[in-house]
Amino acid sequence: MNERLQKLSAWMKENGIDVCFLTSPDNVFYLSGYFTDPHERLLGLAVFQNEEPFLVLPAMEKNDALQSGWGHEIIGFTDTENPWEMVHNSVSKRLTNAAKIAIEKEHLNVERYEELMKLFPEAKQFVSAEEKMRSLRLIKDERELKAIREAAALADYAIEVGASEIKEGKTELEVLAAIEFELKKKGVSQMSFSTMVLTGQNAASPHGNPGQTKIKKGDFVLFDLGVVVDRYCSDITRTLAYGDISDKQKEIYDTVLKAELAAIEAVKPGTPCSTVDLAARSVITAAGYGEYFPHRLGHGLGINVHEYPSVTETNPLKLEEGMVFTIEPGIYVPGVAGVRIEDDVHVTASGLEILTKYPKELQIIK
Ligand code: MN
Ligand code: MN
């Protein structure tokens, strides 16, 4: 078994868990090396304390799974077979009594949970595997870091393209399309989430929807996007000005930048997440904009664009070497302006590595 599976098995032994049945594509990928989106079909990875793990997936994907390097049993089911019976048979070959089963409670739907209860009437307890999976994924290894670094470099490039597309009268969607067109030419097949290009009043909403709004002089253009490389995500935000902006807009921009730099300054092993959040938040609050910064400072980044650690003002979790997360303070004043600056950072032994490198000083496109 690979090192990740061994760690999960060790946790199962400590907690007396007989079977761990994982169903989310992200966690199955993390442990098996095989990624697939099975849509409505079943995808599962069963892990045991000592016995051999197995994958269950649609038969048509069996070959892909084999080629991904998975060296253990694969159960492929056709559209006319009942995959649950096959799961039960394979578990029964390994165990006589599955009394305690770990599942992903946030992912496994009720129908599937009922299916499992029927198959394993001896199961007395269903516990959550999510917390353990989050902590396994929290520290990134060299291969994961390499993918995130590449994804971050492509995100920088995407902002560069976006900046060159800022012109009077262009719509948010036109600029967005140009960015994604250029990325696809570079071989990017997937974004971390729906790309955001927001201007004018739309930028004053932390989660706006790009549309037909046209860029005009005196407005900010906010880009929030990410690129997926080898299944790992990046996430960057830059806010650029088009034409001359007001003193108030400048003050908001300067405050966000000062806050972002203060948070970066605070990152090193041993510092609690809360301290990093508060380093930025206190700058924004002192400038009088506290109520206009309505979200946490940042989130972990990896296979999922939002994972652990959660960088909030109350999270006591201490930073450790190998964690990767975003720093993204923002100020959104309805009717005035919205500014957010977001970088991806990696905690190192001595401090941090900033993965996204596009310049942050106020850029005014003429
Ligand atoms: Mn973002
Ligand atoms: Mn983010």
Side-chain angles (χ1 to χ4, degrees), residues 229-285:
V229 171
D230 293 339
R231 308 235 64 88
Y232 283 81
C233 300
S234 60
D235 188 3
I236 189 173
T237 305
R238 288 294 184 268
T239 310
L240 278 61
Y242 178 55
D244 293 325
I245 55 170
S246 68
D247 289 346
K248 191 80 183 160
Q249 283 171 298
K250 270 191 196 130
E251 181 187 288
I252 290 172
Y253 192 94
D254 290 345
T255 306
V256 174
L257 181 56
K258 225 173 111 188
E260 214 253 352
L261 295 173
I264 283 175
E265 195 67 37
V267 174
K268 59 173 187 315
T271 302
C273 287
S274 55
T275 302
V276 182
D277 179 288
L278 287 167
R281 199 168 298 279
S282 59
V283 170
I284 291 175
T285 304

Side-chain angles (χ1 to χ4, degrees), residues 7 38 42 88 174 216 223 354:
K7 282 184 186 165
L42 177 68
H88 185 248
E174 279 177 299
K216 59 178 193 342
F223 301 94
I354 303 173

Side-chain angles (χ1 to χ4, degrees), residues 91-292:
V91 172
S92 300
K93 271 188 243 162
R94 291 166 170 82
L95 287 181
T96 49
N97 186 17
K100 194 171 177 182
I101 301 179
I103 53 174
E104 289 162 282
K105 293 192 175 182
E106 288 172 22
H107 183 264
L108 196 77
N109 65 34
V110 177
E111 191 178 272
R112 289 177 173 186
Y113 174 57
E114 287 175 348
E115 202 72 56
L116 274 177
M117 287 201 294
K118 249 193 299 177
L119 286 175
F120 299 99
E122 74 277 21
K124 293 192 173 54
Q125 215 185 336
F126 286 88
V127 297
S128 176
E130 260 126 355
E131 202 53 41
K132 182 62 193 174
M133 288 308 302
R134 284 187 194 116
S135 74
L136 284 177
R137 282 166 56 176
L138 190 57
I139 305 297
K140 269 68 184 177
D141 64 27
E142 253 326 300
R143 256 179 61 195
E144 294 178 292
L145 289 169
K146 184 173 172 279
I148 302 173
R149 271 188 205 109
E150 262 177 62
L154 283 162
D156 287 336
Y157 173 69
I159 302 287
E160 204 182 303
V161 173
S164 72
E165 290 291 323
I166 295 178
K167 284 175 188 108
E168 184 78 34
K170 272 208 181 176
T171 68
E172 294 165 335
L173 284 171
E174 279 177 299
V175 175
L176 187 163
I179 292 172
E180 294 196 351
F181 181 60
E182 291 306 317
L183 286 176
K184 284 196 163 65
K185 284 199 274 185
K186 282 204 177 276
V188 170
S189 63
Q190 201 189 344
M191 305 301 287
S192 306
F193 51 89
S194 297
T195 300
M196 277 201 257
V197 178
L198 302 168
T199 190
Q201 287 315 304
N202 293 346
S205 160
H207 275 167
N209 283 312
Q212 296 286 65
T213 305
K214 291 185 167 123
I215 295 171
K216 59 178 193 342
K217 289 253 159 101
D219 278 342
F220 280 125
V221 183
L222 184 152
F223 301 94
D224 187 355
L225 55 89
V227 173
V228 180
V229 171
D230 293 339
R231 308 235 64 88
Y232 283 81
C233 300
S234 60
D235 188 3
I236 189 173
T237 305
R238 288 294 184 268
T239 310
L240 278 61
Y242 178 55
D244 293 325
I245 55 170
S246 68
D247 289 346
K248 191 80 183 160
Q249 283 171 298
K250 270 191 196 130
E251 181 187 288
I252 290 172
Y253 192 94
D254 290 345
T255 306
V256 174
L257 181 56
K258 225 173 111 188
E260 214 253 352
L261 295 173
I264 283 175
E265 195 67 37
V267 174
K268 59 173 187 315
T271 302
C273 287
S274 55
T275 302
V276 182
D277 179 288
L278 287 167
R281 199 168 298 279
S282 59
V283 170
I284 291 175
T285 304
Y289 291 104
E291 63 178 299
Y292 301 110

Side-chain angles (χ1 to χ4, degrees), residues 2 252 352:
N2 69 43
I252 290 172
L352 84 168

Side-chain angles (χ1 to χ4, degrees), residues 224 235 299 306 326 328 342:
D224 187 355
D235 188 3
H299 53 83
H306 283 181
T326 68
E328 51 179 305
E342 175 179 28

Side-chain angles (χ1 to χ4, degrees), residues 21-42:
F21 191 66
L22 299 165
T23 46
S24 72
D26 288 353
N27 280 336
V28 170
F29 167 69
Y30 184 79
L31 293 169
S32 74
Y34 179 61
F35 182 87
T36 184
D37 175 359
H39 303 288
E40 78 284 7
R41 294 185 178 95
L42 177 68

